[in-house]
Amino acid sequence: MAASEGLSTGAVNPSGKGKRLIVSHIGSEDGFVPGGLMCFESKNIQKNTQDYHDEMNGDSFRDWLKGVLPRLKDNAVIVMDNAPYHSVKMEKCPNTNWRKADIITWLRSKGEEVDSTLIIAELLIIVKRIKPMYNKYVIDKMVKADNKDVLRLPPYHCELNPIELAWAAVKKHVRDNNKTFKLQDVKKLMNDGVEKVNPDMWKNFISHVMQEEEKAWNLDNIIDDSVTAESQPFVLTIGNSDSDDSDDDDDNDDDGDFRYLSDSE
């Protein structure tokens, strides 16, 4: 092999340290939304892939989404995961890390009459009761004002987001065609990859996600049925060991056996 002789075999795949492109887009069964692509160069040179959160934050995401909303249809439902920059709260609600005095102040600001002798755990029970009225997201309010809605996915369920499949196709195009590993070349390949993800592909992505959702519902129903079955009482029939005739009843299926009874039986 050329490498064993110390010879170059072309551009070396970088180890991961270097500048990155931060990309955001939005799409539907009609394809990626025209004009919805945001792409900028990361200022950080890090190996840690989570460092982009310093640059892709709530403010930058909100500004991007604000520009995208007019490009979407009325009553559109925007599917989002739970990334921190998607989930900036309009106000923070008390939690176990809050001081008791601050929790009381927050509760009283919401019109609650609070006994100052209550301990933190008791105060947080009151917080839990009224929290749904105040646990709101900045993005959701902005989207709602534009006659659209946000659908937030359950944590750790990226398979329910069609854009993950779109990004996989784009990244494959970049990976298969990247020869120089130069950022500008990668950016061009990324744009080319986005163009290649057409409406037919998006329809397939959405269909696949719907199938995954159906699997999840079916699994949920199976678990519910199983839990329900296990919660049913069981009947234990015990044979009469004092009977002189007990040895003659070997064929009696009720002799000291038990079974679970459920609707499936």
PDB file of all heavy atoms in Angstrom, residues 89 91-110 112 114 120-132 134-135:
ATOM      1  N   LYS A  89     -37.701  29.199  27.410  1.00  0.00           N
ATOM      2  CA  LYS A  89     -38.951  29.492  28.100  1.00  0.00           C
ATOM      3  C   LYS A  89     -39.205  30.995  28.179  1.00  0.00           C
ATOM      4  O   LYS A  89     -38.276  31.791  28.244  1.00  0.00           O
ATOM      5  CB  LYS A  89     -38.911  28.926  29.519  1.00  0.00           C
ATOM      6  CG  LYS A  89     -38.723  27.412  29.591  1.00  0.00           C
ATOM      7  CD  LYS A  89     -39.968  26.689  29.140  1.00  0.00           C
ATOM      8  CE  LYS A  89     -39.816  25.180  29.285  1.00  0.00           C
ATOM      9  NZ  LYS A  89     -39.671  24.756  30.674  1.00  0.00           N
ATOM     10  N   GLU A  91     -40.588  32.360  30.707  1.00  0.00           N
ATOM     11  CA  GLU A  91     -40.118  32.655  32.051  1.00  0.00           C
ATOM     12  C   GLU A  91     -39.749  31.351  32.731  1.00  0.00           C
ATOM     13  O   GLU A  91     -40.280  30.294  32.407  1.00  0.00           O
ATOM     14  CB  GLU A  91     -41.162  33.411  32.871  1.00  0.00           C
ATOM     15  CG  GLU A  91     -42.401  32.613  33.215  1.00  0.00           C
ATOM     16  CD  GLU A  91     -43.287  33.332  34.209  1.00  0.00           C
ATOM     17  OE1 GLU A  91     -42.809  33.652  35.320  1.00  0.00           O
ATOM     18  OE2 GLU A  91     -44.454  33.600  33.868  1.00  0.00           O
ATOM     19  N   LYS A  92     -38.840  31.423  33.666  1.00  0.00           N
ATOM     20  CA  LYS A  92     -38.414  30.233  34.374  1.00  0.00           C
ATOM     21  C   LYS A  92     -39.366  29.949  35.523  1.00  0.00           C
ATOM     22  O   LYS A  92     -39.789  30.864  36.232  1.00  0.00           O
ATOM     23  CB  LYS A  92     -36.986  30.401  34.897  1.00  0.00           C
ATOM     24  CG  LYS A  92     -35.935  30.487  33.797  1.00  0.00           C
ATOM     25  CD  LYS A  92     -34.539  30.594  34.375  1.00  0.00           C
ATOM     26  CE  LYS A  92     -33.487  30.627  33.263  1.00  0.00           C
ATOM     27  NZ  LYS A  92     -32.105  30.727  33.821  1.00  0.00           N
ATOM     28  N   CYS A  93     -39.671  28.668  35.678  1.00  0.00           N
ATOM     29  CA  CYS A  93     -40.529  28.244  36.789  1.00  0.00           C
ATOM     30  C   CYS A  93     -39.665  27.634  37.888  1.00  0.00           C
ATOM     31  O   CYS A  93     -38.620  27.037  37.609  1.00  0.00           O
ATOM     32  CB  CYS A  93     -41.562  27.234  36.306  1.00  0.00           C
ATOM     33  SG  CYS A  93     -42.741  27.901  35.097  1.00  0.00           S
ATOM     34  N   PRO A  94     -40.091  27.757  39.124  1.00  0.00           N
ATOM     35  CA  PRO A  94     -39.290  27.228  40.242  1.00  0.00           C
ATOM     36  C   PRO A  94     -39.035  25.734  40.132  1.00  0.00           C
ATOM     37  O   PRO A  94     -39.873  24.976  39.637  1.00  0.00           O
ATOM     38  CB  PRO A  94     -40.156  27.552  41.464  1.00  0.00           C
ATOM     39  CG  PRO A  94     -41.005  28.706  41.040  1.00  0.00           C
ATOM     40  CD  PRO A  94     -41.288  28.481  39.590  1.00  0.00           C
ATOM     41  N   ASN A  95     -37.868  25.333  40.605  1.00  0.00           N
ATOM     42  CA  ASN A  95     -37.538  23.915  40.707  1.00  0.00           C
ATOM     43  C   ASN A  95     -36.790  23.688  42.015  1.00  0.00           C
ATOM     44  O   ASN A  95     -36.693  24.590  42.852  1.00  0.00           O
ATOM     45  CB  ASN A  95     -36.704  23.463  39.499  1.00  0.00           C
ATOM     46  CG  ASN A  95     -35.437  24.275  39.321  1.00  0.00           C
ATOM     47  OD1 ASN A  95     -34.738  24.572  40.296  1.00  0.00           O
ATOM     48  ND2 ASN A  95     -35.129  24.646  38.088  1.00  0.00           N
ATOM     49  N   THR A  96     -36.281  22.492  42.182  1.00  0.00           N
ATOM     50  CA  THR A  96     -35.649  22.140  43.464  1.00  0.00           C
ATOM     51  C   THR A  96     -34.383  22.941  43.744  1.00  0.00           C
ATOM     52  O   THR A  96     -33.902  22.955  44.880  1.00  0.00           O
ATOM     53  CB  THR A  96     -35.305  20.639  43.487  1.00  0.00           C
ATOM     54  OG1 THR A  96     -34.514  20.317  42.328  1.00  0.00           O
ATOM     55  CG2 THR A  96     -36.567  19.795  43.463  1.00  0.00           C
ATOM     56  N   ASN A  97     -33.832  23.592  42.722  1.00  0.00           N
ATOM     57  CA  ASN A  97     -32.619  24.382  42.930  1.00  0.00           C
ATOM     58  C   ASN A  97     -32.913  25.796  43.421  1.00  0.00           C
ATOM     59  O   ASN A  97     -31.996  26.527  43.791  1.00  0.00           O
ATOM     60  CB  ASN A  97     -31.818  24.465  41.626  1.00  0.00           C
ATOM     61  CG  ASN A  97     -31.275  23.117  41.200  1.00  0.00           C
ATOM     62  OD1 ASN A  97     -30.893  22.310  42.040  1.00  0.00           O
ATOM     63  ND2 ASN A  97     -31.254  22.862  39.901  1.00  0.00           N
ATOM     64  N   TRP A  98     -34.184  26.168  43.414  1.00  0.00           N
ATOM     65  CA  TRP A  98     -34.541  27.522  43.838  1.00  0.00           C
ATOM     66  C   TRP A  98     -34.529  27.638  45.368  1.00  0.00           C
ATOM     67  O   TRP A  98     -34.819  26.675  46.087  1.00  0.00           O
ATOM     68  CB  TRP A  98     -35.931  27.880  43.331  1.00  0.00           C
ATOM     69  CG  TRP A  98     -35.972  28.294  41.885  1.00  0.00           C
ATOM     70  CD1 TRP A  98     -35.280  27.747  40.858  1.00  0.00           C
ATOM     71  CD2 TRP A  98     -36.782  29.331  41.333  1.00  0.00           C
ATOM     72  NE1 TRP A  98     -35.599  28.378  39.675  1.00  0.00           N
ATOM     73  CE2 TRP A  98     -36.522  29.355  39.935  1.00  0.00           C
ATOM     74  CE3 TRP A  98     -37.706  30.235  41.845  1.00  0.00           C
ATOM     75  CZ2 TRP A  98     -37.139  30.263  39.075  1.00  0.00           C
ATOM     76  CZ3 TRP A  98     -38.334  31.131  40.991  1.00  0.00           C
ATOM     77  CH2 TRP A  98     -38.051  31.156  39.624  1.00  0.00           C
ATOM     78  N   ARG A  99     -34.212  28.842  45.836  1.00  0.00           N
ATOM     79  CA  ARG A  99     -34.304  29.130  47.260  1.00  0.00           C
ATOM     80  C   ARG A  99     -35.774  29.237  47.661  1.00  0.00           C
ATOM     81  O   ARG A  99     -36.635  29.637  46.868  1.00  0.00           O
ATOM     82  CB  ARG A  99     -33.578  30.434  47.590  1.00  0.00           C
ATOM     83  CG  ARG A  99     -32.078  30.383  47.351  1.00  0.00           C
ATOM     84  CD  ARG A  99     -31.437  31.760  47.459  1.00  0.00           C
ATOM     85  NE  ARG A  99     -31.717  32.403  48.746  1.00  0.00           N
ATOM     86  CZ  ARG A  99     -32.454  33.503  48.881  1.00  0.00           C
ATOM     87  NH1 ARG A  99     -33.014  34.067  47.831  1.00  0.00           N
ATOM     88  NH2 ARG A  99     -32.640  34.043  50.077  1.00  0.00           N
ATOM     89  N   LYS A 100     -36.056  28.899  48.891  1.00  0.00           N
ATOM     90  CA  LYS A 100     -37.439  28.932  49.384  1.00  0.00           C
ATOM     91  C   LYS A 100     -38.050  30.322  49.226  1.00  0.00           C
ATOM     92  O   LYS A 100     -39.196  30.446  48.754  1.00  0.00           O
ATOM     93  CB  LYS A 100     -37.457  28.501  50.854  1.00  0.00           C
ATOM     94  CG  LYS A 100     -38.844  28.591  51.486  1.00  0.00           C
ATOM     95  CD  LYS A 100     -38.815  28.144  52.943  1.00  0.00           C
ATOM     96  CE  LYS A 100     -40.189  28.352  53.590  1.00  0.00           C
ATOM     97  NZ  LYS A 100     -40.217  27.881  54.997  1.00  0.00           N
ATOM     98  N   ALA A 101     -37.302  31.353  49.586  1.00  0.00           N
ATOM     99  CA  ALA A 101     -37.837  32.722  49.504  1.00  0.00           C
ATOM    100  C   ALA A 101     -38.193  33.095  48.069  1.00  0.00           C
ATOM    101  O   ALA A 101     -39.207  33.768  47.818  1.00  0.00           O
ATOM    102  CB  ALA A 101     -36.819  33.711  50.070  1.00  0.00           C
ATOM    103  N   ASP A 102     -37.378  32.618  47.098  1.00  0.00           N
ATOM    104  CA  ASP A 102     -37.647  32.935  45.692  1.00  0.00           C
ATOM    105  C   ASP A 102     -38.883  32.192  45.181  1.00  0.00           C
ATOM    106  O   ASP A 102     -39.648  32.727  44.372  1.00  0.00           O
ATOM    107  CB  ASP A 102     -36.430  32.581  44.830  1.00  0.00           C
ATOM    108  CG  ASP A 102     -35.231  33.456  45.143  1.00  0.00           C
ATOM    109  OD1 ASP A 102     -35.439  34.586  45.620  1.00  0.00           O
ATOM    110  OD2 ASP A 102     -34.090  33.011  44.917  1.00  0.00           O
ATOM    111  N   ILE A 103     -39.074  30.965  45.655  1.00  0.00           N
ATOM    112  CA  ILE A 103     -40.272  30.207  45.256  1.00  0.00           C
ATOM    113  C   ILE A 103     -41.532  30.906  45.779  1.00  0.00           C
ATOM    114  O   ILE A 103     -42.521  31.063  45.059  1.00  0.00           O
ATOM    115  CB  ILE A 103     -40.211  28.762  45.786  1.00  0.00           C
ATOM    116  CG1 ILE A 103     -39.008  28.026  45.187  1.00  0.00           C
ATOM    117  CG2 ILE A 103     -41.503  28.015  45.457  1.00  0.00           C
ATOM    118  CD1 ILE A 103     -38.802  26.625  45.755  1.00  0.00           C
ATOM    119  N   ILE A 104     -41.474  31.355  47.031  1.00  0.00           N
ATOM    120  CA  ILE A 104     -42.621  32.052  47.620  1.00  0.00           C
ATOM    121  C   ILE A 104     -42.903  33.335  46.854  1.00  0.00           C
ATOM    122  O   ILE A 104     -44.070  33.648  46.543  1.00  0.00           O
ATOM    123  CB  ILE A 104     -42.359  32.346  49.111  1.00  0.00           C
ATOM    124  CG1 ILE A 104     -42.335  31.036  49.911  1.00  0.00           C
ATOM    125  CG2 ILE A 104     -43.409  33.308  49.665  1.00  0.00           C
ATOM    126  CD1 ILE A 104     -41.964  31.219  51.376  1.00  0.00           C
ATOM    127  N   THR A 105     -41.864  34.075  46.513  1.00  0.00           N
ATOM    128  CA  THR A 105     -42.049  35.318  45.755  1.00  0.00           C
ATOM    129  C   THR A 105     -42.694  35.033  44.406  1.00  0.00           C
ATOM    130  O   THR A 105     -43.608  35.746  43.970  1.00  0.00           O
ATOM    131  CB  THR A 105     -40.694  36.019  45.546  1.00  0.00           C
ATOM    132  OG1 THR A 105     -40.135  36.359  46.819  1.00  0.00           O
ATOM    133  CG2 THR A 105     -40.856  37.276  44.705  1.00  0.00           C
ATOM    134  N   TRP A 106     -42.231  33.961  43.728  1.00  0.00           N
ATOM    135  CA  TRP A 106     -42.790  33.612  42.417  1.00  0.00           C
ATOM    136  C   TRP A 106     -44.265  33.238  42.546  1.00  0.00           C
ATOM    137  O   TRP A 106     -45.104  33.676  41.754  1.00  0.00           O
ATOM    138  CB  TRP A 106     -41.999  32.451  41.814  1.00  0.00           C
ATOM    139  CG  TRP A 106     -42.390  32.119  40.414  1.00  0.00           C
ATOM    140  CD1 TRP A 106     -41.915  32.664  39.261  1.00  0.00           C
ATOM    141  CD2 TRP A 106     -43.361  31.120  40.018  1.00  0.00           C
ATOM    142  NE1 TRP A 106     -42.526  32.085  38.166  1.00  0.00           N
ATOM    143  CE2 TRP A 106     -43.410  31.145  38.592  1.00  0.00           C
ATOM    144  CE3 TRP A 106     -44.175  30.232  40.702  1.00  0.00           C
ATOM    145  CZ2 TRP A 106     -44.254  30.305  37.864  1.00  0.00           C
ATOM    146  CZ3 TRP A 106     -45.021  29.394  39.989  1.00  0.00           C
ATOM    147  CH2 TRP A 106     -45.052  29.433  38.583  1.00  0.00           C
ATOM    148  N   LEU A 107     -44.583  32.419  43.541  1.00  0.00           N
ATOM    149  CA  LEU A 107     -45.962  31.990  43.731  1.00  0.00           C
ATOM    150  C   LEU A 107     -46.880  33.174  44.033  1.00  0.00           C
ATOM    151  O   LEU A 107     -47.995  33.274  43.492  1.00  0.00           O
ATOM    152  CB  LEU A 107     -46.046  30.961  44.854  1.00  0.00           C
ATOM    153  CG  LEU A 107     -45.522  29.561  44.523  1.00  0.00           C
ATOM    154  CD1 LEU A 107     -45.424  28.708  45.784  1.00  0.00           C
ATOM    155  CD2 LEU A 107     -46.426  28.880  43.504  1.00  0.00           C
ATOM    156  N   ARG A 108     -46.416  34.061  44.881  1.00  0.00           N
ATOM    157  CA  ARG A 108     -47.242  35.223  45.229  1.00  0.00           C
ATOM    158  C   ARG A 108     -47.420  36.163  44.035  1.00  0.00           C
ATOM    159  O   ARG A 108     -48.462  36.795  43.900  1.00  0.00           O
ATOM    160  CB  ARG A 108     -46.634  35.954  46.424  1.00  0.00           C
ATOM    161  CG  ARG A 108     -46.802  35.179  47.737  1.00  0.00           C
ATOM    162  CD  ARG A 108     -46.111  35.830  48.913  1.00  0.00           C
ATOM    163  NE  ARG A 108     -46.410  35.102  50.159  1.00  0.00           N
ATOM    164  CZ  ARG A 108     -45.792  35.320  51.319  1.00  0.00           C
ATOM    165  NH1 ARG A 108     -44.815  36.232  51.395  1.00  0.00           N
ATOM    166  NH2 ARG A 108     -46.131  34.628  52.396  1.00  0.00           N
ATOM    167  N   SER A 109     -46.411  36.195  43.144  1.00  0.00           N
ATOM    168  CA  SER A 109     -46.545  37.024  41.941  1.00  0.00           C
ATOM    169  C   SER A 109     -47.604  36.480  40.996  1.00  0.00           C
ATOM    170  O   SER A 109     -48.099  37.193  40.113  1.00  0.00           O
ATOM    171  CB  SER A 109     -45.198  37.121  41.210  1.00  0.00           C
ATOM    172  OG  SER A 109     -44.879  35.899  40.540  1.00  0.00           O
ATOM    173  N   LYS A 110     -47.959  35.214  41.188  1.00  0.00           N
ATOM    174  CA  LYS A 110     -49.001  34.577  40.372  1.00  0.00           C
ATOM    175  C   LYS A 110     -50.361  34.597  41.075  1.00  0.00           C
ATOM    176  O   LYS A 110     -51.314  33.969  40.618  1.00  0.00           O
ATOM    177  CB  LYS A 110     -48.618  33.127  40.054  1.00  0.00           C
ATOM    178  CG  LYS A 110     -47.243  32.965  39.417  1.00  0.00           C
ATOM    179  CD  LYS A 110     -47.085  33.814  38.164  1.00  0.00           C
ATOM    180  CE  LYS A 110     -45.698  33.629  37.568  1.00  0.00           C
ATOM    181  NZ  LYS A 110     -45.445  34.595  36.477  1.00  0.00           N
ATOM    182  N   GLU A 112     -50.996  33.507  44.210  1.00  0.00           N
ATOM    183  CA  GLU A 112     -51.194  32.428  45.165  1.00  0.00           C
ATOM    184  C   GLU A 112     -50.973  32.926  46.595  1.00  0.00           C
ATOM    185  O   GLU A 112     -50.019  33.671  46.864  1.00  0.00           O
ATOM    186  CB  GLU A 112     -50.228  31.271  44.877  1.00  0.00           C
ATOM    187  CG  GLU A 112     -50.483  30.555  43.570  1.00  0.00           C
ATOM    188  CD  GLU A 112     -51.763  29.748  43.594  1.00  0.00           C
ATOM    189  OE1 GLU A 112     -52.054  29.116  44.634  1.00  0.00           O
ATOM    190  OE2 GLU A 112     -52.477  29.755  42.573  1.00  0.00           O
ATOM    191  N   VAL A 114     -49.644  32.032  49.978  1.00  0.00           N
ATOM    192  CA  VAL A 114     -48.660  31.030  50.388  1.00  0.00           C
ATOM    193  C   VAL A 114     -48.342  31.173  51.874  1.00  0.00           C
ATOM    194  O   VAL A 114     -48.053  32.279  52.354  1.00  0.00           O
ATOM    195  CB  VAL A 114     -47.356  31.163  49.566  1.00  0.00           C
ATOM    196  CG1 VAL A 114     -46.367  30.081  49.971  1.00  0.00           C
ATOM    197  CG2 VAL A 114     -47.658  31.077  48.078  1.00  0.00           C
ATOM    198  N   ILE A 120     -39.889  23.547  51.152  1.00  0.00           N
ATOM    199  CA  ILE A 120     -39.720  23.644  49.702  1.00  0.00           C
ATOM    200  C   ILE A 120     -40.532  22.577  48.969  1.00  0.00           C
ATOM    201  O   ILE A 120     -41.176  22.854  47.962  1.00  0.00           O
ATOM    202  CB  ILE A 120     -38.229  23.551  49.323  1.00  0.00           C
ATOM    203  CG1 ILE A 120     -37.503  24.837  49.727  1.00  0.00           C
ATOM    204  CG2 ILE A 120     -38.064  23.303  47.824  1.00  0.00           C
ATOM    205  CD1 ILE A 120     -36.023  24.845  49.409  1.00  0.00           C
ATOM    206  N   ALA A 121     -40.501  21.333  49.468  1.00  0.00           N
ATOM    207  CA  ALA A 121     -41.236  20.258  48.802  1.00  0.00           C
ATOM    208  C   ALA A 121     -42.722  20.576  48.713  1.00  0.00           C
ATOM    209  O   ALA A 121     -43.380  20.290  47.704  1.00  0.00           O
ATOM    210  CB  ALA A 121     -41.013  18.945  49.537  1.00  0.00           C
ATOM    211  N   GLU A 122     -43.275  21.169  49.761  1.00  0.00           N
ATOM    212  CA  GLU A 122     -44.701  21.529  49.765  1.00  0.00           C
ATOM    213  C   GLU A 122     -44.971  22.699  48.821  1.00  0.00           C
ATOM    214  O   GLU A 122     -46.005  22.736  48.143  1.00  0.00           O
ATOM    215  CB  GLU A 122     -45.139  21.873  51.191  1.00  0.00           C
ATOM    216  CG  GLU A 122     -45.111  20.673  52.137  1.00  0.00           C
ATOM    217  CD  GLU A 122     -45.330  21.062  53.588  1.00  0.00           C
ATOM    218  OE1 GLU A 122     -44.787  22.111  54.016  1.00  0.00           O
ATOM    219  OE2 GLU A 122     -46.051  20.318  54.298  1.00  0.00           O
ATOM    220  N   LEU A 123     -44.056  23.633  48.772  1.00  0.00           N
ATOM    221  CA  LEU A 123     -44.209  24.773  47.859  1.00  0.00           C
ATOM    222  C   LEU A 123     -44.175  24.316  46.403  1.00  0.00           C
ATOM    223  O   LEU A 123     -44.924  24.815  45.559  1.00  0.00           O
ATOM    224  CB  LEU A 123     -43.100  25.799  48.112  1.00  0.00           C
ATOM    225  CG  LEU A 123     -43.151  26.532  49.457  1.00  0.00           C
ATOM    226  CD1 LEU A 123     -41.874  27.343  49.651  1.00  0.00           C
ATOM    227  CD2 LEU A 123     -44.378  27.438  49.531  1.00  0.00           C
ATOM    228  N   LEU A 124     -43.322  23.341  46.132  1.00  0.00           N
ATOM    229  CA  LEU A 124     -43.201  22.853  44.749  1.00  0.00           C
ATOM    230  C   LEU A 124     -44.444  22.081  44.304  1.00  0.00           C
ATOM    231  O   LEU A 124     -44.712  21.972  43.106  1.00  0.00           O
ATOM    232  CB  LEU A 124     -41.953  21.987  44.599  1.00  0.00           C
ATOM    233  CG  LEU A 124     -40.621  22.745  44.670  1.00  0.00           C
ATOM    234  CD1 LEU A 124     -39.444  21.777  44.605  1.00  0.00           C
ATOM    235  CD2 LEU A 124     -40.518  23.768  43.530  1.00  0.00           C
ATOM    236  N   ILE A 125     -45.196  21.552  45.240  1.00  0.00           N
ATOM    237  CA  ILE A 125     -46.476  20.926  44.888  1.00  0.00           C
ATOM    238  C   ILE A 125     -47.431  21.981  44.343  1.00  0.00           C
ATOM    239  O   ILE A 125     -48.152  21.751  43.358  1.00  0.00           O
ATOM    240  CB  ILE A 125     -47.091  20.216  46.117  1.00  0.00           C
ATOM    241  CG1 ILE A 125     -46.233  19.010  46.507  1.00  0.00           C
ATOM    242  CG2 ILE A 125     -48.527  19.790  45.831  1.00  0.00           C
ATOM    243  CD1 ILE A 125     -46.692  18.327  47.791  1.00  0.00           C
ATOM    244  N   ILE A 126     -47.420  23.151  44.945  1.00  0.00           N
ATOM    245  CA  ILE A 126     -48.252  24.260  44.450  1.00  0.00           C
ATOM    246  C   ILE A 126     -47.749  24.709  43.084  1.00  0.00           C
ATOM    247  O   ILE A 126     -48.543  24.972  42.176  1.00  0.00           O
ATOM    248  CB  ILE A 126     -48.233  25.443  45.443  1.00  0.00           C
ATOM    249  CG1 ILE A 126     -48.686  24.985  46.831  1.00  0.00           C
ATOM    250  CG2 ILE A 126     -49.125  26.580  44.937  1.00  0.00           C
ATOM    251  CD1 ILE A 126     -48.569  26.060  47.900  1.00  0.00           C
ATOM    252  N   VAL A 127     -46.426  24.769  42.943  1.00  0.00           N
ATOM    253  CA  VAL A 127     -45.830  25.153  41.652  1.00  0.00           C
ATOM    254  C   VAL A 127     -46.284  24.189  40.560  1.00  0.00           C
ATOM    255  O   VAL A 127     -46.681  24.598  39.469  1.00  0.00           O
ATOM    256  CB  VAL A 127     -44.293  25.173  41.745  1.00  0.00           C
ATOM    257  CG1 VAL A 127     -43.674  25.325  40.349  1.00  0.00           C
ATOM    258  CG2 VAL A 127     -43.818  26.298  42.646  1.00  0.00           C
ATOM    259  N   LYS A 128     -46.246  22.902  40.869  1.00  0.00           N
ATOM    260  CA  LYS A 128     -46.631  21.887  39.883  1.00  0.00           C
ATOM    261  C   LYS A 128     -48.078  22.066  39.431  1.00  0.00           C
ATOM    262  O   LYS A 128     -48.406  21.850  38.258  1.00  0.00           O
ATOM    263  CB  LYS A 128     -46.429  20.493  40.478  1.00  0.00           C
ATOM    264  CG  LYS A 128     -46.729  19.361  39.507  1.00  0.00           C
ATOM    265  CD  LYS A 128     -46.457  18.007  40.140  1.00  0.00           C
ATOM    266  CE  LYS A 128     -46.747  16.881  39.151  1.00  0.00           C
ATOM    267  NZ  LYS A 128     -46.478  15.540  39.760  1.00  0.00           N
ATOM    268  N   ARG A 129     -48.937  22.492  40.358  1.00  0.00           N
ATOM    269  CA  ARG A 129     -50.353  22.661  40.035  1.00  0.00           C
ATOM    270  C   ARG A 129     -50.582  23.799  39.037  1.00  0.00           C
ATOM    271  O   ARG A 129     -51.412  23.686  38.130  1.00  0.00           O
ATOM    272  CB  ARG A 129     -51.150  22.919  41.322  1.00  0.00           C
ATOM    273  CG  ARG A 129     -52.612  23.261  41.072  1.00  0.00           C
ATOM    274  CD  ARG A 129     -53.394  23.287  42.374  1.00  0.00           C
ATOM    275  NE  ARG A 129     -52.843  24.206  43.349  1.00  0.00           N
ATOM    276  CZ  ARG A 129     -53.077  25.530  43.336  1.00  0.00           C
ATOM    277  NH1 ARG A 129     -53.820  26.076  42.388  1.00  0.00           N
ATOM    278  NH2 ARG A 129     -52.554  26.292  44.277  1.00  0.00           N
ATOM    279  N   ILE A 130     -49.852  24.899  39.195  1.00  0.00           N
ATOM    280  CA  ILE A 130     -50.102  26.059  38.339  1.00  0.00           C
ATOM    281  C   ILE A 130     -49.087  26.208  37.199  1.00  0.00           C
ATOM    282  O   ILE A 130     -49.258  27.045  36.327  1.00  0.00           O
ATOM    283  CB  ILE A 130     -50.125  27.365  39.166  1.00  0.00           C
ATOM    284  CG1 ILE A 130     -48.731  27.674  39.739  1.00  0.00           C
ATOM    285  CG2 ILE A 130     -51.149  27.273  40.287  1.00  0.00           C
ATOM    286  CD1 ILE A 130     -48.644  29.043  40.400  1.00  0.00           C
ATOM    287  N   LYS A 131     -48.045  25.365  37.225  1.00  0.00           N
ATOM    288  CA  LYS A 131     -46.960  25.485  36.242  1.00  0.00           C
ATOM    289  C   LYS A 131     -47.422  25.435  34.794  1.00  0.00           C
ATOM    290  O   LYS A 131     -46.913  26.183  33.952  1.00  0.00           O
ATOM    291  CB  LYS A 131     -45.912  24.396  36.503  1.00  0.00           C
ATOM    292  CG  LYS A 131     -44.666  24.507  35.651  1.00  0.00           C
ATOM    293  CD  LYS A 131     -43.654  23.442  36.057  1.00  0.00           C
ATOM    294  CE  LYS A 131     -42.399  23.519  35.205  1.00  0.00           C
ATOM    295  NZ  LYS A 131     -41.400  22.490  35.625  1.00  0.00           N
ATOM    296  N   PRO A 132     -48.401  24.564  34.428  1.00  0.00           N
ATOM    297  CA  PRO A 132     -48.821  24.518  33.017  1.00  0.00           C
ATOM    298  C   PRO A 132     -49.286  25.852  32.455  1.00  0.00           C
ATOM    299  O   PRO A 132     -49.217  26.076  31.244  1.00  0.00           O
ATOM    300  CB  PRO A 132     -49.965  23.493  33.036  1.00  0.00           C
ATOM    301  CG  PRO A 132     -49.652  22.606  34.202  1.00  0.00           C
ATOM    302  CD  PRO A 132     -49.059  23.515  35.230  1.00  0.00           C
ATOM    303  N   TYR A 134     -47.843  28.678  32.982  1.00  0.00           N
ATOM    304  CA  TYR A 134     -46.709  29.579  32.807  1.00  0.00           C
ATOM    305  C   TYR A 134     -45.516  28.927  32.126  1.00  0.00           C
ATOM    306  O   TYR A 134     -44.550  29.614  31.779  1.00  0.00           O
ATOM    307  CB  TYR A 134     -46.274  30.137  34.169  1.00  0.00           C
ATOM    308  CG  TYR A 134     -47.407  30.801  34.904  1.00  0.00           C
ATOM    309  CD1 TYR A 134     -48.078  30.140  35.933  1.00  0.00           C
ATOM    310  CD2 TYR A 134     -47.843  32.074  34.542  1.00  0.00           C
ATOM    311  CE1 TYR A 134     -49.131  30.739  36.599  1.00  0.00           C
ATOM    312  CE2 TYR A 134     -48.905  32.687  35.204  1.00  0.00           C
ATOM    313  CZ  TYR A 134     -49.546  32.013  36.230  1.00  0.00           C
ATOM    314  OH  TYR A 134     -50.601  32.622  36.863  1.00  0.00           O
ATOM    315  N   ASN A 135     -45.578  27.625  31.928  1.00  0.00           N
ATOM    316  CA  ASN A 135     -44.462  26.884  31.326  1.00  0.00           C
ATOM    317  C   ASN A 135     -44.552  26.978  29.802  1.00  0.00           C
ATOM    318  O   ASN A 135     -44.796  26.001  29.111  1.00  0.00           O
ATOM    319  CB  ASN A 135     -44.504  25.428  31.783  1.00  0.00           C
ATOM    320  CG  ASN A 135     -43.203  24.709  31.516  1.00  0.00           C
ATOM    321  OD1 ASN A 135     -42.140  25.318  31.471  1.00  0.00           O
ATOM    322  ND2 ASN A 135     -43.287  23.403  31.333  1.00  0.00           N
TER     323      ASN A 135
END
